[in-house]
Amino acid sequence: MQDRFLIGKIFKGNELAYGVFKPSNEKDVRGKEQGGQGWGYTEQLSTDTKIWQSHLDGEESIGAVPIDHDNNCHWGCIDIDSYKNFDHITLLTSIERAKLPFIVCRSKSGGAHVYCFFSKGVKAKDLQKKLRQASALLGYKDAEVFPKQIRLLKGQNGNYVNAPYFNEKDCQRYALKLENNQLKKLSLSEFYDEYELQALGDIKELEREIKERGLNDKNSLEFNTAYDAELVRRVAEKTRNEGQIEFDLISDEQKKKALGMRVRN
């Protein structure tokens, strides 16, 4: 039988401090959920079932800090800070094409948290670097990457990410998969199954995934497939938002410069 509180072990990090978010059922003009934020403290967050039960039951939302006091991480996150009408299908398609071992969860404000999990702790500085590379590859080079710190100083809590599956029975933060080009919302149990499939042993496995797929090579098929998909997405978004229908008459190099993307040689 699956442990309902496996979520605490999956999001193991700073064991002594965690973020607390109490929603006010209001949103700002961008669609971001509003509420009160603060910190909570415990002796070992990963095994504190009372805290995680409160999270899963919808009483108090928990934010986990990925970096521990040995400056290691068991998980990292690319936080794509987009609130309205975010295209999760395009993101998942890009990850699938690039064959990256990531799990995507809907964030509390409708954007995406892209997670990479490890069964053993990896150095925060190494994970941060790799996630920044992956974020740029996926077309979100300005997205926040967690861990934010590569070391925790004395008295420092670190930055937290709001954990998924708050209010499990009616949650808005859940893992997503593609099935027949459609989004599938995963239950908590299905998220645990996906974690078991995707969790890596160490940072070298992530490095190998990137190297083997040629994602560091701007001339590789995999890189260009993801790159071109992102270019199409951005052109379409700008066309919708700004009426720039003349984009199809502009050269590829001009398009990429106009969209702020690095132009391939």
Side-chain angles (χ1 to χ4, degrees):
M1 184 177 177
Q2 224 169 27
D3 177 8
R4 187 189 185 209
F5 302 112
L6 179 61
I7 188 170
K9 300 178 180 67
I10 289 175
F11 287 97
K12 183 177 181 179
N14 186 338
E15 291 278 40
L16 305 178
Y18 58 94
V20 176
F21 178 82
K22 294 185 178 181
S24 63
N25 298 319
E26 296 179 353
K27 295 182 179 181
D28 65 14
V29 293
R30 300 171 297 169
K32 184 173 183 178
E33 190 175 15
Q34 300 297 289
Q37 301 184 55
W39 288 95
Y41 299 92
T42 182
E43 293 183 357
Q44 190 167 356
L45 179 62
S46 61
T47 58
D48 194 326
T49 57
K50 183 177 179 180
I51 290 174
W52 286 106
Q53 179 169 342
S54 177
H55 176 83
L56 295 174
D57 289 348
E59 295 170 3
E60 187 172 75
S61 175
I62 298 306
V65 178
I67 185 172
D68 64 23
H69 285 85
D70 292 320
N71 303 319
N72 292 326
C73 300
H74 284 77
W75 60 279
C77 177
I78 300 169
D79 182 5
I80 302 176
D81 206 14
S82 181
Y83 305 118
K84 293 184 178 179
N85 303 316
F86 181 75
D87 190 348
H88 293 90
I89 290 179
T90 296
L91 172 62
L92 284 162
T93 299
S94 296
I95 290 171
E96 192 174 274
R97 285 174 175 168
K99 299 181 181 179
L100 289 167
F102 293 162
I103 297 176
V104 174
C105 289
R106 184 185 185 277
S107 68
K108 68 182 176 62
S109 300
H113 287 166
V114 182
Y115 291 106
C116 186
F117 296 104
F118 298 86
S119 58
K120 300 178 182 178
V122 302
K123 290 297 182 184
K125 65 178 182 179
D126 296 334
L127 179 56
Q128 188 186 81
K129 178 181 178 180
K130 291 302 174 186
L131 289 180
R132 283 177 175 164
Q133 291 176 351
S135 178
L137 167 71
L138 294 171
Y140 300 96
K141 63 182 180 66
D142 295 325
E144 285 188 281
V145 168
F146 294 78
K148 300 277 278 188
Q149 294 81 19
I150 61 173
R151 66 180 61 85
L152 281 183
L153 303 177
K154 185 177 180 180
Q156 188 177 21
N157 291 336
N159 290 72
Y160 67 82
V161 179
N162 287 297
Y165 293 97
F166 171 65
N167 193 16
E168 176 196 357
K169 292 183 179 179
D170 187 29
C171 74
Q172 298 301 310
R173 299 181 231 162
Y174 41 77
L176 293 163
K177 284 189 71 174
L178 281 181
E179 283 196 358
N180 299 318
N181 295 317
Q182 299 294 321
L183 290 176
K184 178 185 177 182
K185 172 183 174 181
L186 301 187
S187 67
L188 181 61
S189 176
E190 289 171 325
F191 168 66
Y192 290 163
D193 290 339
E194 192 67 13
Y195 164 80
E196 296 293 343
L197 288 172
Q198 298 291 358
L200 301 175
D202 56 40
I203 197 69
K204 291 181 179 179
E205 289 190 40
L206 182 56
E207 290 174 352
R208 282 196 298 270
E209 291 282 350
I210 293 174
K211 185 175 181 179
E212 288 175 4
R213 306 305 177 189
L215 300 181
N216 282 330
D217 180 2
K218 63 184 176 183
N219 295 313
S220 72
L221 173 62
E222 288 85 356
F223 182 96
N224 289 329
T225 297
Y227 187 99
D228 290 337
E230 176 60 16
L231 175 60
V232 169
R233 184 188 72 80
R234 293 193 188 190
V235 170
E237 184 175 347
K238 277 189 170 286
T239 300
R240 286 195 303 271
N241 295 341
E242 302 173 20
Q244 295 177 341
I245 58 175
E246 73 276 16
F247 258 77
D248 59 352
L249 303 177
I250 302 176
S251 71
D252 284 346
E253 184 168 317
Q254 288 173 313
K255 287 179 183 178
K256 292 164 189 174
K257 286 182 178 178
L259 294 170
M261 299 180 71
R262 178 171 59 81
V263 179
R264 291 169 291 181
N265 295 331

